[in-house]
Amino acid sequence: MNDDDKLRALQQAHTPAPSEAARRRALDAAMLAFDAEQTNAKQAAQGNRLIQRLRSIFAKAKGTWIMDNRLTYGLGTAAVALLLLPLGYQLYTSTAITPIGVTPTTVSTAGTEKPVAQPEPVPMERGRAEALKKEAGGAAAAIKAEQAPATADADTSTSNLAAAAPEGEAGLVLRDEVAPQNSMAMDAAPPVMPAAPMAEMRMAAPKQMAAPGTAQLESFATATAPAPADAMLAKPTEPSGDAFSKFSESPLKIVKNEPVSTFSIDVDTASYAYVRRALTEGWVPEPDAVRLEELINYFNYDYLAPTDASTPFKPTVSVYPTPWNGKTQIVQIGIKGYVPVATEDKASNLVFLIDTSGSMDEPDKLPLLKRAFALLVDQLGANDTISIVAYAGSAGVVLEPTKATEKAKIIGALENLSAGGSTAGAEGIELAYRLAEQNKVANGVNRVILATDGDFNVGIDDPEALKTYIKGKRDGGVFLSVLGFGQGNLGDDTMQALAQNGNGNASYIDSFKEARKVLVEDAGGTLETIAKDVKIQVEFNPAVVSEYRLIGYETRALNREDFNNDKVDAGEIGAGATVTALYEITPVGSGAELNDPLRYSSDATAETADSGEIGFLKMRYKLPDEETSKLIEQAIGKEQAVVSLAQASDDSRFAAAVAAFGQKLKGSNYGEMSWADIRALAQGARGADENGYRAEFMQLIDMARSLAPDSATSPRQ
């Protein structure tokens, strides 16, 4: 038998199909071999440059017995690529591996088409997914870096392999939720894929690639572009490491069983800024990152403001049809804080407590932080004093109390900050409070402003002990506000807890524009407290309202008896700030009730039914320097309701649109609306919009619609 006969016999021999496990082992082995070769190639020669240790048996043209590293580096990579290509080719042609979201329908074999069975998705742990991302990304980058010097000596198919991995993309689609057993496919042309989120690593399906020394295959597995709903399966969640307090959505309450609702106000806006960053960067935040009240309260509303600081606010109530349910109504309660006149120039004693730990060494953290504080410094005057404390490894005073007029000195101290070291957060807080107390101003603003990514590694290990410490300083007249920066390491839950216990607010600074909003446009609300421990309680009339639910404020719920207990802490409101709360109510006899009536129950009295009241609103607050609360009461009458949504004010309709947006984004059990309807409602209620924040909200709706199409955002089961 001659050589041709032997080859022909081998060609006709039956080769059993490799198992999935064998394919995976082969691919892992190839990746390990490639990584090992790259590691060896990057090792520096030992010894002095002139008398380096011998690494090659080939001499240079000059007669030196030292290897030319550049030549060996390129030839070594080319040789490894040539060895790996046949293996990779075999894996591609023997395995129907399909990109996520791409469904192979048939495979052409000898002129016939056969359906391809679809594998069941299997869960993949976040840790393994991240590890595979790094391996795949590193291998693709190494191949691309060595492609140019190796091309001269390697087979031309090496360039085809590099061409299959465009710059900035990885060879695998990896998700936290599920990872199909087969995840790549060869196609005659790359399928049209939806726009990929920035936080997700993607690679188009490999292009046609000829095997070394062979002709191109006649056919490949076909692929189709994913439908919008399929694209949702690959949407990423929040960046790994960000921490949020877990909470359940406020449930629907039966008025006859629980007629009274009590909660603390919340003026924080961190959730909206975080959601905006997530959508802008192309990923959907986790549900617990979406706090509805903070989305609604991000915007200012034209409520009637008081004219005297002795009455820091008064309520504005409106009732209008619910946009997502024509049989229910929205009760909107709004308050606007007293706006001091221009001649009132309260002295401010501010201490900047700045996290300079190693985790802050990113462009959107410490560098942005410096620019943000520079904006605030520019707003302060001769009556104001600034101190700076940094904490990282060891706490220290960066700037002793300095008049705000010495702006160059203050800005210089900020610019000299650098990131590095572990996070000794508690020690820094103690030092910051000490400076604030030493320079405390009477009848002025005494506040520590903590700027961090929320990571506290050492110091007071017990979170409850830290909260108790901050509460004690709060009772002594020094309040605490928190500014959060960055992502991937954000401790939002810690930020919220510290701000709530420090009689301050929590804001998330994702951009210079947001820094300007928080520290310039809303500086009064951020720095100057006009009322503290503000509580709201609503009693609904069972003769008029059968069911209700509070939209948001899950983390601010209070017990009924807490309303009259002045020892129970609640939220603060700053100068000029607005706060909005929305209830969705179900009128008696509307047919929208979700609860069946009780068999054994008493009806409301005729007197209550004829009162014409939907409910009764009560509010408690304390002036900044007082410890006894004051009470505001007001009936919510039927005459305050409008018949159609079009009759509601722009502010009311816009607030309802923001609520619908947040409910849909987090997968609420209530309030289903399409993105198009939400956008139309918000667009028609934009109003003046001087700073363009409502126009920006329109863009967020469009981004959310692209990332989470209507068919993929139905209420959770």
Side-chain angles (χ1 to χ4, degrees):
M1 179 180 293
N2 56 30
D3 292 342
D4 291 341
D5 293 335
K6 293 179 181 179
L7 291 174
R8 192 173 296 108
L10 287 174
Q11 184 178 13
Q12 295 175 355
H14 174 70
T15 302
S19 66
E20 178 61 30
R23 295 191 190 101
R24 180 173 293 278
R25 287 196 299 271
L27 183 58
D28 289 345
M31 292 294 293
L32 289 174
F34 183 82
D35 290 341
E37 178 62 23
Q38 294 303 302
T39 302
N40 292 335
K42 293 179 180 179
Q43 290 179 350
Q46 299 182 10
N48 186 277
R49 180 175 179 83
L50 298 177
I51 54 172
Q52 288 178 346
R53 175 177 162 184
L54 181 64
R55 293 184 59 185
S56 174
I57 62 173
F58 299 103
K60 287 187 177 180
K62 294 182 180 180
T64 305
W65 285 91
I66 302 298
M67 168 186 152
D68 186 343
N69 289 328
R70 293 173 298 174
L71 177 62
T72 305
Y73 194 75
L75 290 175
T77 304
V80 172
L82 287 173
L83 290 173
L84 291 177
L85 279 172
L87 176 61
Y89 173 74
Q90 175 65 25
L91 288 171
Y92 275 118
T93 55
S94 62
T95 309
I97 307 177
T98 308
I100 290 175
V102 179
T103 306
T105 54
T106 60
V107 174
S108 299
T109 305
T112 62
E113 293 187 347
K114 297 180 179 180
V116 178
Q118 299 300 308
E120 291 293 327
V122 297
M124 175 179 287
E125 296 180 356
R126 180 186 294 273
R128 172 160 176 78
E130 294 297 330
L132 287 176
K133 285 182 181 180
K134 291 182 178 179
E135 292 178 9
I143 291 173
K144 186 173 183 64
E146 299 306 322
Q147 178 184 354
T151 304
D153 301 308
D155 189 274
T156 55
S157 59
T158 306
S159 62
N160 291 336
L161 179 60
E167 183 177 358
E169 297 181 348
L172 294 173
V173 178
L174 299 172
R175 297 174 293 143
D176 296 335
E177 296 87 4
V178 293
Q181 294 173 335
N182 298 330
S183 57
M184 292 184 295
M186 300 187 68
D187 195 1
V192 178
M193 302 294 289
M198 293 177 64
E200 183 180 13
M201 304 181 67
R202 288 185 178 273
M203 179 177 178
K207 300 178 181 179
Q208 284 189 348
M209 178 177 66
T214 64
Q216 291 185 337
L217 298 179
E218 294 180 355
S219 62
F220 295 88
T222 60
T224 58
D230 295 328
M232 272 300 297
L233 296 176
K235 77 176 186 295
T237 55
E238 84 291 354
S240 174
D242 290 351
F244 299 91
S245 298
K246 305 296 182 182
F247 62 89
S248 299
E249 186 175 25
S250 295
L252 190 70
K253 302 290 185 68
I254 300 176
V255 175
K256 288 183 178 181
N257 298 340
E258 298 180 67
V260 179
S261 170
T262 309
F263 64 97
S264 162
I265 69 163
D266 182 4
V267 295
D268 295 344
T269 60
S271 179
Y272 182 89
Y274 187 90
V275 167
R276 177 180 58 205
R277 176 168 189 165
L279 296 177
T280 301
E281 294 188 355
W283 47 275
V284 178
E286 66 165 276
D288 288 329
V290 184
R291 295 185 288 270
L292 299 181
E293 73 277 8
E294 295 188 24
L295 269 59
I296 297 169
N297 286 329
Y298 184 83
F299 303 93
N300 289 323
Y301 302 96
D302 191 22
Y303 302 135
L304 187 63
T307 57
D308 192 329
S310 60
T311 304
F313 59 83
K314 56 184 178 181
T316 299
V317 180
S318 57
V319 183
Y320 50 90
T322 305
W324 54 82
N325 187 343
K327 295 182 178 180
T328 64
Q329 294 176 312
I330 296 291
V331 175
Q332 179 169 334
I333 302 169
I335 59 177
K336 183 178 180 65
Y338 167 73
V339 181
V341 296
T343 55
E344 294 184 31
D345 186 12
K346 279 190 176 182
S348 296
N349 167 34
L350 305 179
V351 181
F352 299 165
L353 176 56
I354 300 177
D355 179 359
T356 55
S357 61
S359 62
M360 293 291 289
D361 190 17
E362 296 181 22
D364 60 348
K365 294 185 179 180
L366 187 58
L368 178 59
L369 179 154
K370 294 177 182 179
R371 297 170 63 200
F373 275 125
L375 283 173
L376 177 57
V377 170
D378 191 53
Q379 303 301 308
L380 301 177
N383 289 340
D384 305 318
T385 302
I386 294 176
S387 308
I388 301 178
V389 174
Y391 64 96
S394 61
V397 177
V398 176
L399 180 70
E400 293 288 348
T402 303
K403 286 295 182 181
T405 51
E406 299 184 55
K407 300 187 186 301
K409 181 179 179 180
I410 299 171
I411 299 299
L414 287 170
E415 289 299 326
N416 287 334
L417 295 174
S418 60
S422 63
T423 309
E427 295 178 12
I429 285 179
E430 292 172 353
L431 185 54
Y433 274 116
R434 192 178 309 136
L435 282 177
E437 290 170 342
Q438 290 173 358
N439 298 275
K440 188 175 180 181
V441 294
N443 300 319
V445 176
N446 297 281
R447 187 176 296 271
V448 174
I449 303 178
L450 170 60
T452 178
D453 58 6
D455 191 4
F456 290 81
N457 297 326
V458 295
I460 300 178
D461 296 329
D462 183 4
E464 294 303 319
L466 184 57
K467 292 178 185 178
T468 301
Y469 176 82
I470 293 174
K471 286 180 181 178
K473 299 301 180 181
R474 172 197 73 195
D475 295 339
V478 180
F479 295 170
L480 174 72
S481 292
V482 184
L483 305 180
F485 292 82
Q487 65 180 19
N489 194 44
L490 183 69
D492 178 84
D493 51 353
T494 303
M495 290 166 43
Q496 296 288 327
L498 296 184
Q500 290 177 22
N501 286 277
N503 271 11
N505 46 12
S507 302
Y508 178 66
I509 309 298
D510 64 325
S511 64
F512 186 73
K513 180 180 179 181
E514 182 64 12
R516 180 174 179 79
K517 180 181 187 298
V518 173
L519 298 175
V520 178
E521 297 172 12
D522 298 339
T526 302
L527 301 178
E528 184 178 351
T529 299
I530 60 171
K532 63 183 182 180
D533 293 343
V534 182
K535 306 171 186 177
I536 296 179
Q537 188 173 81
V538 179
E539 179 185 357
F540 289 102
N541 182 358
V544 178
V545 181
S546 61
E547 299 168 338
Y548 70 91
R549 69 180 182 95
L550 177 61
I551 299 177
Y553 290 95
E554 288 88 353
T555 63
R556 300 298 184 121
L558 296 175
N559 297 323
R560 179 175 176 179
E561 62 272 18
D562 293 340
F563 183 76
N564 291 321
N565 187 350
D566 284 348
K567 294 182 179 180
V568 176
D569 183 52
E572 285 65 45
I573 182 171
T578 60
V579 180
T580 301
L582 303 181
Y583 282 96
E584 181 179 6
I585 63 172
T586 304
V588 171
S590 66
E593 293 86 350
L594 296 181
N595 293 281
D596 293 331
L598 296 177
R599 181 179 181 87
Y600 307 103
S601 63
S602 58
D603 295 329
T605 63
E607 291 80 3
T608 304
D610 294 338
S611 66
E613 295 179 358
I614 294 174
F616 195 75
L617 169 66
K618 295 191 291 185
M619 307 178 71
R620 282 198 176 274
Y621 69 93
K622 300 174 187 174
L623 293 176
D625 297 327
E626 297 181 2
E627 296 303 322
T628 301
S629 66
K630 298 183 178 181
L631 178 65
I632 296 176
E633 296 178 313
Q634 177 179 317
I636 304 174
K638 292 181 179 179
E639 70 279 359
Q640 294 172 288
V642 296
V643 177
S644 68
L645 187 60
Q647 294 176 303
S649 67
D650 286 348
D651 282 345
S652 294
R653 287 182 284 117
F654 190 83
V658 177
F661 167 84
Q663 289 177 151
K664 188 174 183 67
L665 188 64
K666 71 181 297 164
S668 169
N669 290 314
Y670 309 97
E672 180 64 13
M673 286 182 72
S674 69
W675 292 119
D677 288 344
I678 295 173
R679 195 185 196 287
L681 179 61
Q683 179 67 32
R686 281 176 55 182
D689 194 23
E690 294 181 3
N691 296 314
Y693 296 120
R694 296 190 179 190
E696 179 187 67
F697 179 66
M698 303 291 107
Q699 299 175 359
L700 295 189
I701 297 174
D702 294 337
M703 294 173 189
R705 183 178 185 177
S706 298
L707 293 169
D710 287 325
S711 59
T713 55
S714 57
R716 292 171 292 182
Q717 300 299 320

